[in-house]
Amino acid sequence: TQLLEQSPQFLSIQEGENLTVYCNSSSVFSSLQWYRQEPGEGPVLLVTVVTGGEVKKLKRLTFQFGDARKDSSLHITAAQPGDTGLYLCAGVRTGNQFYFGTGTSLTVIP
Amino acid sequence: GAGVSQSPSNKVTEKGKDVELRCDPISGHTALYWYRQSLGQGLEFLIYFQGNSAPDKSGLPSDRFSAERTGGSVSTLTIQRTQQEDSAVYLCATRTGFNLPLHFGNGTRLTVT
């Protein structure tokens, strides 16, 4: 049973388009992290959000943590081929346990 | 400095054989996690080590799976009597402290034929 559900599972878009990935749960987390994974490599951290309602921007990426700290979203503006990869959200509880989402595979077509 | 190192990067084994997967953490990282990832999917938690504390084994799928961490450094994940459903990428991750991000190795791709 996955604590965190991501949608969509697969996304294929043209370069320059915008997109949003959702990460939803019925559980509360102390913080939430987003990772990106490329083929043959391990996931790499993009951002950590801690406060309910928090919004963080990383260049063309905007991350939001829900007010109730149960969900999060990742918005990419003007997607580029270099954004291609598997995006994973991870909810953190008690500081020890990381619960990973089901993943969103993004392909940006040049 | 060096990142998390996992070996082998690929392992093909016959059903019923035992396999050992190794993880060399970043120096000074006290917490170590093992995850399993099926093709293009999310990560399934297996086991967590924190310093000298008893490991959290709650994610191990069966008693064929075991792991140890010697001297608070290198960790080995052992799968006995492998089955085809064990085929996956096994990822190791470490971190320095609470609420800090995980640093992942590149994983071991295990194929059971």
Side-chain angles (χ1 to χ4, degrees):
Chain A
T1 303
Q2 293 277 161
L3 272 184
L4 284 164
E5 294 289 335
Q6 287 184 236
S7 61
Q9 185 177 0
F10 298 98
L11 190 55
S12 181
I13 62 171
Q14 295 290 328
E15 182 177 359
E17 293 184 348
N18 302 331
L19 66 114
T20 301
V21 177
Y22 299 93
C23 173
N24 295 302
S25 177
S26 58
S27 299
V28 176
F29 298 100
S30 60
S31 64
L32 194 135
Q33 299 179 341
W34 284 91
Y35 292 79
R36 182 171 69 205
Q37 184 179 22
E38 300 190 19
E41 300 182 4
V44 175
L45 180 74
L46 295 174
V47 77
T48 301
V49 285
V50 179
T51 306
E54 181 177 1
V55 177
K56 277 192 174 179
K57 292 192 175 183
L58 187 67
K59 297 183 179 178
R60 295 176 293 100
L61 278 61
T62 301
F63 304 85
Q64 184 164 7
F65 201 11
D67 291 341
R69 306 207 315 277
K70 294 181 179 181
D71 51 73
S72 181
S73 64
L74 158 61
H75 183 78
I76 300 179
T77 303
Q80 299 178 359
D83 296 327
T84 293
L86 180 69
Y87 288 81
L88 295 159
C89 63
V92 184
R93 295 166 78 176
T94 73
N96 294 338
Q97 190 56 278
F98 291 73
Y99 297 88
F100 279 84
T102 47
T104 294
S105 179
L106 171 65
T107 301
V108 182
I109 303 166
Chain B
V4 178
S5 178
Q6 290 188 246
S7 60
S9 56
N10 283 283
K11 176 72 176 178
V12 180
T13 190
E14 293 180 352
K15 176 182 173 181
K17 295 285 179 78
D18 298 351
V19 295
E20 282 190 355
L21 312 180
R22 177 186 170 104
C23 174
D24 284 90
I26 295 172
S27 178
H29 282 206
T30 57
L32 187 148
Y33 298 76
W34 283 97
Y35 289 91
R36 179 167 69 176
Q37 184 177 34
S38 299
L39 186 62
Q41 300 298 306
L43 275 60
E44 175 189 4
F45 167 74
L46 296 177
I47 188 168
Y48 159 65
F49 296 90
Q50 174 61 56
N52 295 321
S53 301
D56 177 353
K57 303 180 181 180
S58 61
L60 295 178
S62 76
D63 59 9
R64 296 186 295 104
F65 288 73
S66 63
E68 59 180 27
R69 188 177 186 192
T70 55
S73 181
V74 172
S75 178
T76 302
L77 176 68
T78 301
I79 308 173
Q80 296 179 311
R81 305 181 303 281
T82 52
Q83 303 295 312
Q84 288 186 329
E85 59 263 30
D86 300 334
S87 296
V89 175
Y90 289 81
L91 290 162
C92 174
T94 68
R95 64 184 173 93
T96 55
F98 294 137
N99 289 325
L100 293 176
L102 297 173
H103 296 262
F104 283 87
N106 288 336
T108 294
R109 179 175 297 277
L110 175 66
T111 303
V112 182
T113 61

